[in-house]
Amino acid sequence: MNWFEKTASIVGIVAHLWPLLPASAQGVLAVPPPTPSSQQASQQASPMVESTRVHERLTPRALGGTTRSFNGPAGKPVELWVPDRVRSGDAFDVVVHFHGAAWLPEQAVAALGSRTVAVVLNLGAGSGIYDRSFADPAAFDSLLVTVTREVAVVTGRPSRMDRVALVGFSAGHGAVRAILREPRHLARVDAVLLLDGMHTSYVPEGQVLAAGGMIDSMNLVSLTTFARAAARGEKRMLIAHSEIFPGTYASTTETADWTITALGLRRTPVLRWGPRGMQQLSEVHARHFRVLGFAGTTAPDHIDQLHAMPELLKRLLSR
């Protein structure tokens, strides 16, 4: 395991557990005491105490519909939520969310008010496990086939899957980039939402840009290819990121900048409120491609991105 996966796994663990904790516990865990090892390898969100923004949090609530579960990649459970309105039609859309407690993306899908089902996978810590789990294109094929079958069980009749959207929070982006490497999956997926989750290594490993390092673009190629299609109006893509600087691997700001430059675009400075008390600082907009840059270098700022999913998903998919 290289530095990128080792360090990403720590942030991934925090990101996976955070939404499940009460606010009081989040306040404590957001400020871990520094240790010699953590000071040498700056690999997390800043431990600074931050009270500038509200950091509003959603809470679980009853949504109705039907929940099912089945085994997916690596034998991990896939959680499926089918809203009641799916029963009224022969076709449905699907949002596949990688990394994070299922209730939150289910709320985001429910807020769409459409015949869209939510599929949630949690495969472990670090983007590497997500990437490896979908390195074989058959894994995504199997997932879609099984979702279609399970929805048919719920509705009591054959159902056809229409539009497919992928959402990657934090480490979950590893699955998205792996899926999009396969040309027929790139063609099949209609929309992508990345929530503070587009990372890669430095070259040489661990050497930041300011010290002469470069971005390892290997993990960004498939995502940038999709971004280019969105900028042409053929797909839909929204990248939201914080200002967190991991130190040992490329930040979401740096990877977004790489993609923006590759598309020949530039950021526009803005200053406006976003969801959950977030503060937006920059924006890129080209047809159906958007990048939203938000303030914040702390762990709560990272989790803000996940709790902003209802608003950001609706913005991504609105026609």
Side-chain angles (χ1 to χ4, degrees), residues 73-153:
K76 299 291 186 179
V78 177
E79 297 173 86
L80 170 68
W81 177 70
V82 183
D84 291 333
R85 64 179 66 89
V86 170
R87 299 175 184 271
S88 65
D90 296 325
F92 65 93
D93 298 333
V94 61
V95 171
V96 185
H97 177 94
F98 300 99
H99 206 60
W103 63 265
L104 205 157
E106 288 171 1
Q107 279 193 29
V109 170
L112 296 175
S114 60
R115 289 195 293 271
T116 304
V117 306
V119 178
V120 181
L121 291 84
N122 284 285
L123 302 180
S127 61
I129 183 62
Y130 284 92
D131 193 315
R132 292 189 296 273
S133 296
F134 286 92
D136 182 351
F140 189 59
D141 292 330
S142 177
L143 177 66
L144 297 187
V145 168
T146 307
V147 168
T148 301
R149 184 185 66 222
E150 292 293 319
V151 170
V153 170

Side-chain angles (χ1 to χ4, degrees), residues 266-272 280-285 291 293:
R266 296 182 62 181
R267 290 182 187 266
T268 299
V270 300
L271 185 58
R272 63 171 67 102
Q280 187 181 342
L281 302 180
S282 66
E283 182 168 345
V284 176
H285 182 198
V291 178

Side-chain angles (χ1 to χ4, degrees), residues 11-271:
V11 173
I13 291 170
V14 174
H16 178 62
L17 295 178
W18 197 280
L20 305 179
L21 299 174
S24 58
Q26 290 183 8
V28 173
L29 296 179
V31 195
T35 63
S37 60
S38 66
Q39 289 175 338
Q40 292 171 3
S42 177
Q43 57 195 26
Q44 300 186 54
S46 169
M48 178 186 72
V49 176
E50 190 274 312
S51 58
T52 305
R53 286 171 293 279
V54 177
H55 304 295
E56 297 173 355
R57 294 290 176 256
L58 300 174
T59 56
R61 57 183 176 83
L63 299 174
T66 303
T67 301
R68 296 179 66 86
S69 179
F70 57 89
N71 287 336
K76 299 291 186 179
V78 177
E79 297 173 86
L80 170 68
W81 177 70
V82 183
D84 291 333
R85 64 179 66 89
V86 170
R87 299 175 184 271
S88 65
D90 296 325
F92 65 93
D93 298 333
V94 61
V95 171
V96 185
H97 177 94
F98 300 99
H99 206 60
W103 63 265
L104 205 157
E106 288 171 1
Q107 279 193 29
V109 170
L112 296 175
S114 60
R115 289 195 293 271
T116 304
V117 306
V119 178
V120 181
L121 291 84
N122 284 285
L123 302 180
S127 61
I129 183 62
Y130 284 92
D131 193 315
R132 292 189 296 273
S133 296
F134 286 92
D136 182 351
F140 189 59
D141 292 330
S142 177
L143 177 66
L144 297 187
V145 168
T146 307
V147 168
T148 301
R149 184 185 66 222
E150 292 293 319
V151 170
V153 170
V154 173
T155 60
R157 65 176 184 277
S159 299
R160 174 177 55 84
M161 183 181 295
D162 195 356
R163 294 179 295 182
V164 177
L166 305 180
V167 181
F169 168 62
S170 192
H173 81 277
V176 179
R177 74 194 184 206
I179 291 167
L180 296 180
R181 288 191 193 111
E182 169 57 44
R184 58 190 174 81
H185 293 161
L186 181 73
R188 180 67 179 91
V189 173
D190 298 278
V192 166
L193 172 61
L194 297 180
L195 301 169
D196 216 20
M198 186 165 67
H199 290 290
T200 191
S201 301
Y202 291 122
V203 180
E205 193 169 291
Q207 186 166 322
V208 300
L209 300 183
M214 298 176 62
I215 293 287
D216 182 353
S217 61
M218 181 178 65
N219 287 330
L220 305 180
V221 172
S222 64
L223 297 170
T224 302
T225 299
F226 194 90
R228 187 172 286 109
R232 293 194 300 263
E234 301 164 5
K235 304 286 187 180
R236 290 176 176 270
M237 187 176 197
L238 194 160
I239 300 172
H241 67 84
S242 68
E243 297 178 297
I244 293 171
F245 180 69
T248 52
Y249 56 93
S251 69
T252 50
T253 301
E254 291 169 324
T255 57
D257 283 343
W258 190 92
T259 297
I260 292 166
T261 300
L263 270 58
L265 303 173
R266 296 182 62 181
R267 290 182 187 266
T268 299
V270 300
L271 185 58

